[in-house]
Amino acid sequence: MNKYRDFDNYLKEYPDENGYFGKYGGNYLDNPELIKAFNEYAEGYMTIAQSSQFIAELRRIRKDFQGRPTPLYHCQNLSNMLGRTQIYLKREDLNHSGAHKLNHCMGEGLLAKYMGKKKLIAETGAGQHGVALATAAAYFGLECDIYMGEVDIAKQAPNVTRMKLLGARVIPVSAGLKTLKEAVDAAFEAYSKEYKTAIYCIGTAAGPHPFPLMVRDFQQVIGDEARAQFIEQTGHLPDKVVACVGGGSNSIGTFVPFLADPVEIVGVEPGGRGEKLGDHAASVTYGSEGIMHGFNSIMLADENGEPAPVYSNASGLDYPAVGPEHAMLHDMNRIKYVTVSDEEAIEALFILSRKEGIIPAIESSHALAYAIREARKGKPESIIVTLSGRGDKDLDYVVEHYGYGENIKL
Ligand SMILES: *Cc1c(COP(=O)(O)O)cnc(C)c1O
């Protein structure tokens, strides 16, 4: 029995036409205007994004504007230090704007253009998604409205500056706790009124259909490139493929091309500072089935079934749910989910900086930390790690809380 053969027709089977990955996914919004808007969106995506013209234009943008393909880099210094395991990095930190998020933002921007829309709407928490979307809007000559809680605006000044420089409007949200949750509500509200002229762009492979499918498709360029590059460099497949999981976009894009291969796939969730609810954001590891933000998946809920408070030192990973495709692949036992703590991630950040001259984002450092943990077992195997972004945004935080890594053993 070869368990991987079940995945030969995977892309044809999942999601179904209503956006279900098994029992997960779908569209559970209750606003009829929004349901109409998302149905139009799904239809637009299914027809336009398959056209050869769209595909050719996106390919050109990826090459000339984003700088793709990003390299697959064999970390020889790091691998030698750790022993016999060979670690390879898929360098999404070298994608234009410094992270993988631009992969789906450029796709969504191009779709907006083809659908005749004038504006991109989104919310942002830490600001990374807002910056990527503002970049896409500038490229396509579209307006861009980014909804952001007032608390986040105060905390994330450099990203607010970037968005404004790129020509986006940053709209402060003053309701409730003034953070991401309220910004999501405000962005949905705006979209329900403006959907004839605007499209909404989510920051990860989650949300109502068609987002989990569409974002997965646009992010799949990571895994497609990495697989071909690894085979070209080594003549065989890797033993393991690893990526960090927030909402799950860089990871699902990395993983899907390897599903039918005899390769172990590992999603790394943020273990934060402990196992209590509120101390981590490890949705698959500690969560259960539930509906939030208009889709069914595995989530961390409080006693009232509302999204629970989450924590990680990587702000891009602190989301209380995971995209529905991850939930299904977890149930199918095809992807293994593990946790890495704040401390372990920071150790990995220091090690990669000093050993290879690459400063990774704290999010990406979670994936790397797991690969380092595995490599310390000393097996002669190879691991691809998706380095989802660069660490520039994290420098002040890291140095203030952890110094320069003087105590790390190399
Ligand atoms: C946003 C972000 C993530 C987490 O998002 P996913 O949708 O889970 O990929 C990871 N790494 C970086 C650098 C990010 O900016």
Side-chain angles (χ1 to χ4, degrees):
M1 239 283 298
N2 176 359
K3 69 172 175 171
Y4 307 109
R5 243 195 356 243
D6 296 345
F7 289 89
D8 280 351
N9 291 315
Y10 179 82
L11 289 175
K12 288 204 194 81
E13 290 167 18
Y14 303 103
D16 73 10
E17 58 184 353
N18 296 313
Y20 279 92
F21 295 88
K23 62 179 172 173
Y24 302 110
N27 180 339
Y28 290 84
L29 294 170
D30 47 19
N31 175 338
E33 283 299 297
L34 276 180
I35 293 176
K36 220 162 79 188
F38 277 90
N39 285 343
E40 183 207 311
Y41 205 149
E43 217 174 280
Y45 173 66
M46 301 304 250
T47 50
I48 294 165
Q50 317 306 324
S51 75
S52 53
Q53 201 188 347
F54 184 96
I55 292 167
E57 194 167 348
L58 188 59
R59 196 171 286 154
R60 195 167 60 242
I61 290 167
R62 284 173 172 168
K63 178 168 173 285
D64 298 340
F65 181 64
Q66 294 181 234
R68 304 202 69 94
T70 58
L72 180 76
Y73 172 64
H74 181 197
C75 294
Q76 294 196 6
N77 299 336
L78 177 64
S79 303
N80 286 342
M81 171 190 126
L82 292 165
R84 299 204 293 169
T85 302
Q86 303 305 311
I87 295 181
Y88 290 74
L89 300 180
K90 180 57 176 162
R91 300 285 311 273
E92 292 305 294
D93 59 317
L94 295 178
N95 194 31
H96 174 50
S97 84
H100 70 286
K101 285 196 175 73
L102 196 64
N103 295 334
H104 68 257
C105 288
M106 293 308 287
E108 287 169 339
L110 187 61
L111 183 62
K113 202 181 100 176
Y114 273 68
M115 288 174 75
K117 307 293 184 186
K118 304 264 176 297
K119 185 193 278 187
L120 306 179
I121 294 176
E123 74 288 329
T124 195
Q128 296 301 108
H129 175 52
V131 170
L133 197 65
T135 303
Y139 178 94
F140 291 108
L142 298 165
E143 290 174 53
C144 187
D145 285 355
I146 304 290
Y147 292 81
M148 192 169 185
E150 282 182 347
V151 168
D152 289 332
I153 289 181
K155 269 209 276 204
Q156 309 289 346
N159 277 341
V160 174
T161 305
R162 280 186 194 104
M163 285 183 262
K164 289 184 176 168
L165 266 174
L166 291 162
R169 273 207 306 163
V170 179
I171 300 166
V173 178
S174 56
L177 296 175
K178 307 175 190 189
T179 63
L180 182 61
K181 185 181 173 300
E182 292 77 25
V184 173
D185 294 341
F188 267 74
E189 170 79 20
Y191 180 53
S192 72
K193 295 190 180 124
E194 298 183 61
Y195 72 87
K196 294 208 168 72
T197 53
I199 67 170
Y200 174 69
C201 299
I202 213 159
T204 188
H209 180 59
F211 284 111
L213 164 68
M214 183 172 71
V215 173
R216 187 278 310 276
D217 288 352
F218 288 142
Q219 290 294 346
Q220 209 180 302
V221 67
I222 302 175
D224 284 336
E225 286 177 8
R227 190 176 180 282
Q229 288 166 320
F230 189 89
I231 291 172
E232 192 189 299
Q233 289 179 30
T234 67
H236 54 83
L237 284 164
D239 297 284
K240 292 178 180 150
V241 176
V242 181
C244 66
V245 182
S249 68
N250 88 86
S251 49
I252 204 72
T254 302
F255 296 162
V256 162
F258 291 97
L259 287 175
D261 293 331
V263 167
E264 186 177 324
I265 301 178
V266 185
V268 181
E269 297 197 295
R273 59 192 169 210
E275 294 185 17
K276 268 204 337 274
L277 196 62
D279 282 345
H280 60 79
S283 320
V284 179
T285 305
Y286 300 109
S288 52
E289 187 179 347
I291 293 172
M292 66 173 260
H293 299 163
F295 66 106
N296 184 38
S297 189
I298 297 178
M299 62 185 273
L300 294 166
D302 64 16
E303 60 274 17
N304 304 317
E306 291 294 311
V310 285
Y311 163 81
S312 163
N313 63 354
S315 57
L317 299 181
D318 60 1
Y319 183 61
V322 72
E325 192 166 6
H326 281 284
M328 181 186 75
L329 289 165
H330 166 262
D331 286 6
M332 288 174 163
N333 266 328
R334 180 63 188 93
I335 299 181
K336 178 167 127 182
Y337 293 83
V338 301
T339 62
V340 155
S341 69
D342 282 4
E343 297 282 332
E344 264 184 295
I346 296 294
E347 184 202 14
L349 181 149
F350 286 136
I351 291 175
L352 192 70
S353 301
R354 298 251 287 277
K355 276 287 159 194
E356 299 285 354
I358 298 168
I359 304 175
I362 304 178
E363 289 83 357
S364 326
S365 302
H366 281 72
L368 179 67
Y370 176 76
I372 291 175
R373 193 197 287 169
E374 285 299 287
R376 283 177 173 149
K377 295 177 181 165
K379 287 192 212 145
E381 59 180 18
S382 47
I383 307 179
I384 294 180
V385 179
T386 293
L387 207 72
S388 53
R390 66 182 180 218
D392 303 40
K393 67 186 178 60
D394 298 318
L395 299 184
D396 293 344
Y397 172 86
V398 168
V399 171
E400 184 183 326
H401 290 81
Y402 303 95
Y404 290 91
E406 297 90 339
N407 304 324
I408 300 293
K409 276 212 292 294
L410 295 175

